[in-house]
Amino acid sequence: MEREKFRDSIATVDQQGKRSWVYPRKPAGRLYHYRQYVSYLLLAFLVASPFIKINGNQFLMFNVLERRFSIFGFTFWPQDFYIFVLIMIIGVVFIILFTVAFGRIFCGWICPQTIFMEMVFRRIEYWIEGDRGKQIKLDKQKWNAEKLRKKLMKWSIFFFISFLIANIFLAYLIGSDRLLLYVFGGPSAHLSTLLSLLIFTAVFYFVFAWFREQVCVIACPYGRLQGVLLDERSIVVAYDYQRGEKEKGRAKFKKNENRAATGKGDCIDCLQCVQVCPTGIDIRNGTQLECVNCTACIDACNTMMQAVDLPKGLIRYASEANIRKKEPFRFTARLKAYSAVLLILIGVLSGLLFLRSDIEANVLRLPGQLYQHRENGIISNVYTYKLINKTSLDYEDLQFRLLSHSGEIETIGNQFISVTSNSFSEGTLFVNISRKSLAKEKEKLEIGVYSNDHLIETTSVTFMGPRTYK
Ligand code: SF4
Ligand code: SF4
């Protein structure tokens, strides 16, 4: 269909398959100001998070190399991976729920790609090169001193900011303490880290200086999911075609004309919504996968509506059902189902976090060893143990005690084990039980880990003994 032709291609690639550079007009308006406040708040959060400590733990850290994560100050070890996976699943369900209800609102208001692109890099570009018209002119003109100065200035600032972002990224990855240590230790002492930093810098520079909206249009998996998540009741940034087109369609504005009487739509075909769009689309064609719901077109259109004395909201947050049938927002069955799943997952996560102990004990039988007879009818089994301290406190007096049977635990080395914060201690221990206390050849034992006479963790192991005892 001719009307749907725009869906066969993306706005940023021309007929020859070459990139069509987007020069969006500088946005302005109420929603843009709100987005600025939200963005600055989120930028501050993003920069500060790796440097905030809760009980000595980094507020947010994703050390994938050593498989150690810290979320809201809770440290997660590889053994806690199931909790980490659950948090990820909750995040995904939350985003899905949000997308079903509010479309790609996340992209426009919260996504770091949009925030950095629109609120940092693009603003610097406007500051150096000017608004849309001036940028187009500058790119078309031959290289001269002015163009060279502006471009060099822009590229240098972009590189510097990309380098800063790479440092923040590294602080999330390896921890802010280590990053600061490397920074103050000097680059020559940490050449491999410097190399990683420069690689990250190059990636960020490439994304924000050149790849830009292509991330949202062709690279981001979340953007691709939209097609299956949105329905006619999802609230998205939408053009009210009923009002904009009416019987005679959109038409340029003419002074003193009675638009209502002519049957022309409220859209005055000024193209402000198209020129301001950072992904280069025409929202009047309907919901498109390129739209990141940045609201720039809402502001642009409202300004025009105000100028020609027509009601605002020709482009607004609305659902297809709202525009077509004037239907208000409804909490649909799909939304209810997603919310229920989300609540259940949050409940399970809270339970797991509540039950999660500060010290985790793993006690395993030494492979290839059955049992030993000792003096006075004592049967002994040998185990290896690993005590993981997930807190920022140092423990110096950890001790194993047998809970389910009378007997004793003999730790090789010191009976009291010390484990410093966020680390682990491992070793070997013997469990010695009188033969008379054993009823079967294979018994399950409960072992407790004590600190200062307080039970802080329990674990169970299998104990092997001879076939007959009595
Ligand atoms: S269509 Fe509007 S909301 Fe969507 S990306 Fe373009 S300007 Fe932003
Ligand atoms: S800004 Fe509003 S009036 Fe102008 S073209 Fe877009 S929808 Fe029509």
Side-chain angles (χ1 to χ4, degrees):
M1 239 170 38
E2 192 60 32
R3 268 188 66 231
E4 298 283 308
K5 234 181 155 184
F6 70 94
R7 295 198 193 277
D8 299 340
S9 58
I10 54 174
T12 49
V13 176
D14 67 15
Q15 293 292 325
Q16 284 73 45
K18 287 206 184 110
R19 173 86 176 271
S20 298
W21 195 259
V22 180
Y23 296 93
R25 191 182 290 283
K26 192 175 175 185
R30 195 166 56 97
L31 286 170
Y32 182 66
H33 287 310
Y34 291 157
R35 275 179 61 222
Q36 275 181 305
Y37 300 140
V38 174
S39 300
Y40 297 147
L41 209 72
L42 290 175
L43 278 173
F45 176 78
L46 192 86
V47 173
S49 286
F51 299 95
I52 297 172
K53 297 274 173 72
I54 291 183
N55 294 330
N57 295 325
Q58 195 165 310
F59 187 64
L60 285 176
M61 183 176 77
F62 305 95
N63 190 340
V64 278
L65 307 171
E66 291 167 12
R67 290 180 296 156
R68 271 183 53 201
F69 304 90
S70 182
I71 297 175
F72 304 138
F74 288 102
T75 307
F76 295 92
W77 285 70
Q79 288 78 2
D80 297 318
F81 200 67
Y82 61 100
I83 296 182
F84 188 71
V85 169
L86 195 63
I87 291 175
M88 292 293 130
I89 293 173
I90 289 175
V92 170
V93 174
F94 184 75
I95 289 176
I96 289 175
L97 179 68
F98 228 75
T99 310
V100 170
F102 302 108
R104 245 172 126 169
I105 198 167
F106 170 85
C107 304
W109 290 78
I110 298 167
C111 176
Q113 160 72 19
T114 311
I115 290 177
F116 275 117
M117 186 67 247
E118 302 306 322
M119 297 296 168
V120 180
F121 288 88
R122 194 90 75 185
R123 284 175 69 82
I124 292 166
E125 200 163 62
Y126 290 133
W127 171 58
I128 298 173
E129 296 186 355
D131 209 343
R132 173 184 156 84
K134 287 187 177 160
Q135 287 182 21
I136 296 174
K137 192 168 159 239
L138 187 74
D139 279 2
K140 278 194 180 149
Q141 80 183 41
K142 289 218 168 73
W143 283 98
N144 59 12
E146 186 214 3
K147 184 166 176 174
L148 195 67
R149 180 179 56 80
K150 285 186 173 170
K151 291 288 178 192
L152 277 180
M153 189 173 163
K154 184 178 89 169
W155 294 334
S156 317
I157 296 177
F158 276 13
F159 184 83
F160 177 69
I161 295 176
S162 301
F163 184 71
L164 286 183
I165 300 174
N167 273 274
I168 302 293
F169 183 67
L170 209 62
Y172 278 100
L173 212 60
I174 62 171
S176 54
D177 289 345
R178 213 190 301 177
L179 177 76
L180 291 176
L181 207 71
Y182 290 172
V183 169
F184 292 117
S188 55
H190 307 284
L191 279 177
S192 58
T193 311
L194 181 68
L195 185 71
S196 323
L197 258 181
L198 290 176
I199 293 171
F200 287 142
T201 305
V203 171
F204 288 124
Y205 184 85
F206 167 76
V207 166
F208 295 115
W210 192 80
F211 205 49
R212 301 190 156 195
E213 74 288 337
Q214 299 300 303
V215 173
C216 317
V217 175
I218 57 175
C220 175
Y222 176 60
R224 323 300 302 176
L225 266 177
Q226 261 200 115
V228 288
L229 294 177
L230 297 187
D231 63 19
E232 66 159 7
R233 291 197 180 84
S234 305
I235 293 178
V236 290
V237 173
Y239 167 69
D240 187 340
Y241 54 87
Q242 304 270 34
R243 192 187 132 195
E245 307 294 315
K246 293 203 179 131
E247 307 91 65
K248 296 264 178 69
R250 63 187 78 146
K252 294 279 180 208
F253 177 71
K254 283 195 193 134
K255 219 172 169 190
N256 298 329
E257 88 177 314
N258 184 346
R259 253 183 124 81
T262 59
K264 290 177 190 167
D266 278 1
C267 174
I268 56 169
D269 212 11
C270 63
L271 295 181
Q272 292 298 309
C273 54
V274 182
Q275 290 179 2
V276 83
C277 178
T279 61
I281 59 168
D282 185 344
I283 189 68
R284 296 172 301 169
N285 287 330
T287 304
Q288 293 149 74
L289 72 85
E290 293 99 319
C291 177
V292 290
N293 276 224
C294 74
T295 70
C297 54
I298 299 183
D299 280 332
C301 189
N302 281 344
T303 308
M304 293 316 293
M305 290 292 105
Q306 210 167 8
V308 296
D309 212 14
L310 285 169
K312 290 181 185 176
L314 180 57
I315 302 176
R316 63 178 186 272
Y317 277 120
S319 65
E320 171 63 20
N322 173 258
I323 289 173
R324 193 158 41 88
K325 303 181 262 178
K326 302 274 173 271
E327 196 182 279
F329 175 73
R330 281 221 319 254
F331 200 56
T332 58
R334 183 146 72 129
L335 277 182
K336 284 178 194 160
Y338 283 140
S339 305
V341 172
L342 189 63
L343 281 177
I344 292 168
L345 286 173
I346 290 174
V348 172
L349 177 68
S350 311
L352 287 174
L353 285 177
F354 184 71
L355 294 173
R356 178 178 175 268
S357 57
D358 291 344
I359 297 285
E360 185 173 316
N362 292 320
V363 181
L364 298 169
R365 290 182 57 79
L366 201 64
Q369 300 283 327
L370 268 180
Y371 57 88
Q372 292 170 3
H373 287 278
R374 291 203 178 174
E375 286 172 0
N376 304 325
I378 299 292
I379 306 292
S380 178
N381 278 205
V382 61
Y383 301 85
T384 58
Y385 70 84
K386 186 172 185 178
L387 286 173
I388 302 159
N389 181 357
K390 298 174 184 173
T391 69
S392 55
L393 304 170
D394 294 339
Y395 282 88
E396 290 179 352
D397 57 349
L398 296 178
Q399 199 185 17
F400 286 107
R401 289 184 199 167
L402 209 47
L403 299 177
S404 56
H405 292 65
S406 55
E408 63 157 22
I409 295 183
E410 193 186 319
T411 318
I412 302 298
N414 199 338
Q415 273 300 103
F416 293 99
I417 305 156
S418 54
V419 196
T420 51
S421 67
N422 288 312
S423 67
F424 63 86
S425 176
E426 47 191 355
T428 309
L429 60 84
F430 287 94
V431 177
N432 304 322
I433 299 178
S434 166
R435 188 176 169 156
K436 290 183 197 134
S437 308
L438 298 166
K440 295 185 290 209
E441 60 182 301
K442 195 173 174 185
E443 294 217 9
K444 199 173 158 213
L445 306 184
E446 285 292 319
I447 293 177
V449 180
Y450 283 79
S451 167
N452 214 3
D453 274 340
H454 288 296
L455 179 67
I456 52 173
E457 165 72 330
T458 55
T459 186
S460 55
V461 291
T462 310
F463 188 89
M464 307 291 281
R467 191 173 287 270
T468 50
Y469 304 103
K470 306 278 162 130

